[in-house]
């Protein structure tokens, strides 16, 4: 840590470790749950492309927009209080998710859960680092913390799959909504773990390290609002298009706020982000790679979740198994990656990792998507080899990014460099599903338009009806068919069409439902294949940029080595 902490004499060291390790496991479980359930949410909530994107991206935004402030607040007011707050907010977010009955409620749950996890990640790490002043011992306990974090990433998809399989109660008739959806139990279990963390925290030691610092409120406000505005614009563009007045206005507001953030950070004495770091070209390149590389990773994860769970209609447990192959290597290869980072130039580990990531993404782009396996689509097991390669790539890159970043700055700047790099890395994670959705649903809608018009015209629907139905995105026909028919019939009746004519058009539309849904699925499949290609290009760009990072680095001190271990541990929280 950059400042010497004060540690309370009250409380148990053992309880502190247990609370911290449990807290980071909880945070990562709730972080990774939506990834394994996106396809389930698409079907159950009949959500739009924008709604599905909000669900996927909102949790990460809850982490990103405040992550530089939670650690400081813990330093100022005591980390134990922040651990209480993080556990309590996680309980609220998990229970709200378990009770969600529509897209809007799940989005709100993800926002709350993201804030809770955003508190727990840095605070749990700070608490164990504070009670372990010896650098060698600190490196070991931080490595253990990272192991529990990675364990949470492995547990989460398994929890999603097993609860969906074991506790789902089907509806009374075929095609009817579930009487109870088993995935909700996963969130109740997460809430129970959060309660246990809250109880254990009462016996933990408190610590703080204020050092005369203060919170950069103007910087935090402009950063949070600016990122939210840009996120809102990109998500809304999924359904409304980038030319929408609402989207353009949001981008303008977001850009203005982010410019204001840069101005504020350049003038304040205690900024959230130290802009002087970016005068170092090697660090600037690493910052770019942190965004582009982690965008590539999460874009692939998001696309796989929706393509396999939502389009191919694979059971949640199958999607969960795929995510174990993605997240498992980051847990299993911790000793290997740690050895590589300390015995091989970290930038070469980073380059190799992004090369593997690019190969995985391009491999996935060749797999046909959009048709359920039961109707001749790609078997879900075909995704295992490329996703395992992605998992290896992630294991090699996620910690190496921060290791490379802090090796490009003087030792006294290691703390701020690791914190800023973590922010940029998490921003890349947040952009993965957002930009991925914009690409997938945009390409899918374009590919869908022509065939849809042909099918509707062949069914005998009048030209004005064809024009109206052409504005419905392909996901709407897949996850909300009844709503599309009801809205179409209502608009036709409101336009003065006789009841007999409305019934006739509704029957004509129903007669071509299998054709429309088949084309909708394959069109969106093309969209998600395009996301894989985009992710592969971003990974290639990242690998190429790492070649321009200077291999020179300052000689590390004992404290710097401990900071490196801590930074690498923080970096695993994907």
């Amino acid at each position: 840590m950059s400042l010497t902490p004060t540690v309370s004499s009250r409380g148990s060291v053992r309880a502190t470790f247990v609370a911290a390790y449990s807290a980071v496991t909880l945070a990562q479980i709730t972080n990774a749950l939506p990834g394994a359930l996106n396809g389930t949410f698409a079907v159950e909530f009949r959500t739009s492309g924008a709604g599905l994107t909000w669900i996927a991206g909102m949790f990460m935004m809850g982490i990103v927009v405040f992550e530089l402030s939670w650690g400081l607040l813990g330093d100022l007011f005591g980390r134990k209080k922040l651990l209480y707050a993080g556990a309590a907010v996680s309980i609220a977010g998990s229970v709200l998710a378990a009770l969600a009955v529509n897209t809007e409620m799940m989005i709100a749950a993800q926002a709350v859960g993201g804030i809770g996890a955003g508190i727990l990640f840095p605070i749990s790490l700070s608490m164990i680092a504070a009670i372990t002043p010896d650098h060698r011992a600190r490196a070991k306990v931080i490595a253990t913390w990272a192991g529990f974090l990675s364990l949470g990433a492995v547990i989460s998809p398994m929890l999603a799959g097993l609860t969906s399989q074991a506790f789902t109660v089907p509806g009374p008739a075929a095609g009817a909504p579930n009487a109870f959806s088993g995935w909700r139990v996963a969130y109740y279990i997460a809430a129970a773990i959060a309660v246990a963390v809250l109880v254990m925290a009462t016996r933990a030691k408190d610590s703080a390290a204020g050092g005369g610092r203060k919170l950069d409120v103007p910087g935090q406000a402009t950063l949070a609002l600016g990122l939210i505005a840009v996120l809102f614009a990109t998500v809304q563009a999924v359904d409304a298009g980038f030319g929408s007045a609402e989207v353009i206005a949001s981008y303008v507001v977001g850009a203005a706020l982010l410019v204001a953030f840069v101005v504020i950070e350049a003038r304040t004495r205690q900024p959230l982000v130290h802009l002087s770091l970016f005068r170092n070209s090697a660090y600037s390149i690493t910052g770019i790679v942190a965004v582009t590389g982690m965008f590539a990773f999460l874009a692939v994860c998001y696309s796989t979740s929706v393509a396999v769970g939502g389009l191919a209609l694979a059971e949640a447990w199958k999607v969960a198994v795929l995510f174990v192959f993605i997240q498992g290597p980051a847990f299993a290869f911790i000793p290997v990656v740690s050895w590589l980072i300390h015995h091989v130039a970290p930038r070469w580990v980073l380059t190799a990792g992004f090369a593997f990531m690019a190969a995985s993404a391009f491999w996935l782009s060749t797999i046909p998507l959009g048709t359920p396996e039961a109707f001749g689509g790609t078997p879900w097991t075909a995704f295992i080899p490329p996703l395992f390669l992605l998992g290896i790539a992630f294991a090699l890159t996620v910690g190496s990014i921060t290791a490379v970043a802090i090796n490009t700055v003087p030792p006294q700047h290691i703390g701020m460099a690791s914190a800023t790099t973590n922010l940029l890395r998490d921003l890349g994670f947040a952009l993965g599903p957002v930009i991925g959705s914009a690409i997938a649903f945009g390409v899918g809608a374009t590919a869908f338009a022509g065939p849809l018009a042909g099918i509707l015209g062949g069914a005998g629907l009048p030209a004005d009806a064809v024009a109206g139905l052409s504005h419905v995105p392909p996901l709407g026909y897949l996850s909300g068919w009844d709503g599309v028919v009801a809205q179409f019939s209502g608009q036709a009746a409101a336009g003065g069409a006789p009841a007999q004519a409305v019934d006739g058009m509704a029957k004509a539309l129903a007669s071509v439902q299998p054709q429309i849904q088949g084309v909708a699925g394959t069109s969106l499949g093309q969209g998600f294949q395009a996301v894989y290609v985009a992710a592969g290009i971003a990974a290639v760009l990242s690998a190429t940029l790492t070649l321009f990072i200077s291999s020179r680095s300052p000689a590390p001190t004992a404290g710097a080595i401990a900071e490196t271990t801590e930074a690498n541990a923080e970096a695993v929280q994907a």
Side-chain angles (χ1 to χ4, degrees):
M1 307 304 289
S2 56
L3 294 173
T4 302
T6 58
V7 181
S8 171
S9 60
R10 300 179 60 185
S12 162
V13 170
R14 183 186 186 91
T16 305
F17 282 122
V18 173
Y21 294 153
S22 301
V24 73
T25 303
L26 163 69
Q28 189 62 1
I29 287 174
T30 54
N31 186 10
L33 271 177
L37 293 170
N38 274 323
T40 300
F41 295 154
V43 174
E44 182 153 340
F45 296 146
R46 299 182 176 182
T47 186
S48 66
L52 198 59
T53 308
W54 276 118
I55 291 174
M58 185 56 76
F59 195 101
M60 279 308 305
M61 286 304 296
I63 295 175
V64 171
V65 297
F66 299 114
E67 72 175 304
L68 292 179
S69 294
W70 295 129
L72 175 57
L73 289 173
D75 289 347
L76 292 174
F77 302 110
R79 291 156 185 159
K80 191 171 177 177
K81 295 183 181 70
L82 268 292
L83 192 66
Y84 288 149
V89 174
S90 293
I91 293 170
S94 297
V95 171
L96 188 61
L99 297 174
V101 295
N102 53 41
T103 302
E104 292 75 18
M105 193 171 176
M106 181 55 73
I107 291 171
Q110 294 308 304
V112 175
I115 292 173
I119 298 172
L120 293 177
F121 279 130
I123 293 302
S124 60
L125 182 59
S126 298
M127 288 182 73
I128 60 171
I131 61 174
T132 317
D134 178 73
H135 292 308
R136 188 180 300 273
R138 182 186 296 176
K140 291 181 179 179
V141 299
I142 290 173
T144 304
W145 179 91
F148 276 95
L149 189 152
S150 298
L151 181 62
V154 176
I155 290 174
S156 187
M158 296 174 61
L159 184 63
L162 290 174
T163 54
S164 295
Q165 185 76 10
F167 297 104
T168 295
V169 179
N178 291 329
F180 180 78
S181 297
W183 60 264
R184 299 177 186 276
V185 176
Y187 279 105
Y188 284 126
I189 292 173
I193 296 173
V195 171
V197 170
L198 193 59
V199 172
M200 186 59 65
T202 62
R203 301 179 55 220
K205 282 184 171 291
D206 199 5
S207 59
R213 294 181 298 165
K214 63 179 183 178
L215 183 64
D216 177 15
V217 176
Q220 176 63 85
T222 50
L223 175 64
L225 294 175
L227 289 175
I228 290 171
V230 171
L231 172 70
F232 175 82
T234 308
V235 172
Q236 291 304 108
V238 172
D239 286 345
F242 286 97
S244 164
E246 180 183 41
V247 170
I248 294 173
S250 296
Y251 274 128
V252 170
V253 171
L257 287 166
L258 292 177
V259 169
F261 168 74
V262 172
V263 172
I264 290 169
E265 297 305 283
R267 296 181 178 182
T268 187
R269 293 181 60 185
Q270 298 183 21
L272 277 176
V273 176
H274 294 261
L275 301 179
S276 60
L277 289 171
F278 296 97
R279 296 172 187 165
N280 180 328
S281 61
Y283 184 82
S284 295
I285 292 173
T286 307
I288 294 170
V289 167
V291 177
T292 58
M294 294 303 101
F295 154 76
F297 171 74
L298 216 65
V300 170
C301 293
Y302 171 74
S303 297
T304 301
S305 175
V306 179
V308 178
L311 301 184
L313 301 178
E315 294 94 329
W317 71 265
K318 294 179 180 178
V319 180
V321 170
L322 296 180
F323 271 78
V324 169
F325 279 98
I326 296 173
Q327 299 283 4
F331 174 64
F333 295 170
I334 284 176
V336 176
V337 175
S338 178
W339 186 91
L340 288 172
I341 288 175
H342 288 90
H343 292 84
V344 180
R347 70 190 186 110
W348 292 119
V349 180
L350 196 58
T351 303
F354 284 128
F356 288 156
M357 192 176 294
S360 170
F362 288 132
W363 185 352
L364 287 163
S365 72
T366 66
I367 297 177
L369 305 174
T371 303
E373 184 177 349
F375 295 94
T378 303
W380 70 278
T381 51
F383 291 85
I384 292 176
L387 290 179
F388 182 62
L389 181 60
L390 178 70
I392 295 173
F394 181 62
L396 292 174
T397 55
V398 68
S400 302
I401 286 177
T402 309
V404 171
I406 64 179
N407 281 344
T408 63
V409 301
Q412 65 270 24
H413 293 159
I414 283 177
M416 69 178 75
S418 65
T420 304
T421 303
N422 288 345
L423 172 68
L424 294 171
R425 185 201 67 238
D426 289 343
L427 178 60
F429 286 140
L431 291 176
V434 174
I435 296 178
S437 288
I439 295 171
F441 293 113
V443 171
T446 301
F448 184 54
L452 175 64
I455 293 172
L456 294 175
L461 290 168
D464 57 343
V466 172
L469 289 167
S470 296
H471 289 95
V472 178
L475 188 61
Y477 285 103
L478 289 173
S479 62
W481 178 268
D482 292 340
V484 170
V485 174
Q487 182 178 10
F488 167 71
S489 300
Q491 290 176 343
Q500 186 176 0
V502 173
D503 289 342
M505 288 189 289
K507 289 179 181 178
L509 187 58
S511 69
V512 292
Q513 178 180 354
Q515 293 174 262
I516 292 176
Q517 291 185 324
V519 172
T522 55
S523 297
L524 282 177
Q526 294 175 41
F528 284 107
Q529 284 177 317
V531 178
Y532 287 138
V533 172
I537 293 171
V540 169
L541 173 63
S542 301
T544 303
L545 285 173
T546 60
L547 299 176
F548 293 93
I549 299 174
S550 172
S551 60
R552 294 176 297 174
S553 61
T557 63
I561 292 172
E563 289 277 8
T564 302
T565 305
E566 180 174 339
N568 290 339
E570 288 176 334
V572 187
Q573 64 184 51

